[in-house]
Amino acid sequence: MTNDILVVGAGPVGLTTALVLAQAGHAVTVLEAGESLSAESRASTYHPPTLEMLADLGVLDALREHGIVSQAFQYRDRQDGPVAELDLGILADDTPYPFRVQCEQSKLTPILLERLRRHDGCTVEFGEPATSVTQADDRVTVTSASGRSWTANWVVGADGASSVVRKSTGAEFEGITYPERFLVVSTTEDLAAVLPGIADVNYVFDPTEWLVLLRTPEHWRILFPTDPDSPADAEVADARVQERLRGVADLGRPWELLHSSLYLVHQRVAERFRTGRVVLVGDAAHVNNPLGGMGMNSGIHDAVLTARALVALLAGEADLDALDVVLAGRRDVALSYVRTVTHDNWKQLREQDPSARAAHHAELRALAADPVAARAYLRRTSMIDSLRPLEPAGDAL
């Protein structure tokens, strides 16, 4: 079977890539390992520049129907309570969407899929995990576990951190794995009632057990670090999970749970994002810890910018060097922006030194009280600065 472009992976990044290409008139086939779209909650925060891109694709209104608009987030101390609240409304001159949307990625992917299927020549093949990718004579062939093969002019690998597409190129996936595993617990309890005054998104400092509290339309999610030496089964056991939750708030009864999962967290970036006619986007190209909500967002940015560059190349409006400039820029963002911000978030949440912790809290309070500094900081944490330069507006933390 011959196609203009093959996209491997039908997550939010792969489907966004495919939709950009389809809207430009290209026939696209998406290969997905799963038998259907993933129903996992996973990423749930959409930053302002991502909302701009989704609006350009015509899918933002549908996403907002399912999501929660959140204009502020909080930094809190586990013992002392609120430290600072940052209002994204201060970005009104920087973006038409000065807020976050909280909505699980599993609600975005069906929207993207439905829009993709409106385009002639565009299909999604479920239950077709890629097993090999080969290149010859300016064509790329992908073979799946079923034995079927597809040949295309270009292949976009959006098949996650264990990407078969990336491995086929021989590109090293350089970086680190954190000593802590992260435990994510989803609950139907109303944390706003249990912890009055919290925001929809909360980063909670503590030298022993930092937390992230996130509201989604249907539940709250709590992110905990875990002891790297503790057996995985012990960490997800109901009694242990309930013990951790009682540390957040003692309800006098067991918490109502939807699910809990434990996972390793990595900071890794592929040594190159293009090999011949194969390009990498999203987690196939780079992974980071989730503190700051930059993983899915940076992946969607990869998808849109890379797909636009491919459209220009295929239309004869740009050459291969122009595509490489875009990919080099995305790799630089992953290395010097996303990795730095998310790793700094991790270090600050778990800071052990009391004086350093107090100094950082004081900086955050001063930041929240200074509109110029707050704007600069929010441009960085909302990922606006990863896509366009910052006008002079004071120094961020």
Side-chain angles (χ1 to χ4, degrees), residues 16 54 98 159 167 177 202 315 385:
T16 297
L54 295 177
D159 50 336
K167 291 173 183 176
T177 298
N202 308 269
D385 285 350

Side-chain angles (χ1 to χ4, degrees), residues 68-73 85-92 97-102 199-201 378:
I68 298 168
V69 171
S70 179
Q71 192 166 312
F73 64 92
E85 182 165 299
L86 280 297
D87 182 356
L88 278 83
I90 204 168
L91 298 175
Y97 307 105
F99 48 80
R100 296 177 174 183
V101 169
Q102 294 297 115
D200 291 334
V201 179
L378 288 170

Side-chain angles (χ1 to χ4, degrees), residues 253-336:
R253 57 170 173 78
W255 283 58
E256 295 289 337
L257 300 183
L258 290 174
H259 91 285
S260 60
S261 59
L262 189 71
Y263 60 97
L264 290 170
V265 178
H266 310 273
Q267 298 275 78
R268 298 185 181 277
V269 179
E271 64 174 320
R272 58 183 180 274
F273 285 11
R274 183 179 72 84
T275 302
R277 288 175 173 264
V278 173
V279 297
L280 304 174
V281 293
D283 285 356
H286 52 88
V287 293
N288 57 271
N289 80 56
L291 303 177
M294 293 189 170
M296 176 183 63
N297 286 271
S298 62
I300 290 174
H301 302 173
D302 290 349
V304 171
L305 297 175
T306 301
R308 287 175 179 169
L310 281 170
V311 167
L313 176 65
L314 293 168
E317 298 169 356
D319 58 16
L320 194 58
D321 288 343
L323 172 63
D324 285 339
V325 167
V326 171
L327 294 172
R330 296 312 303 159
R331 187 171 186 273
D332 184 61
V333 165
L335 282 168
S336 62

Side-chain angles (χ1 to χ4, degrees), residues 9-10 36 41 48 52 85 111 124 140 149 152 157 228 269 288 295 347 351 369:
S36 61
S41 295
E52 294 178 29
E85 182 165 299
I111 298 168
V124 178
V140 189
S149 293
V269 179
N288 57 271
K347 289 193 298 183
E351 176 61 60

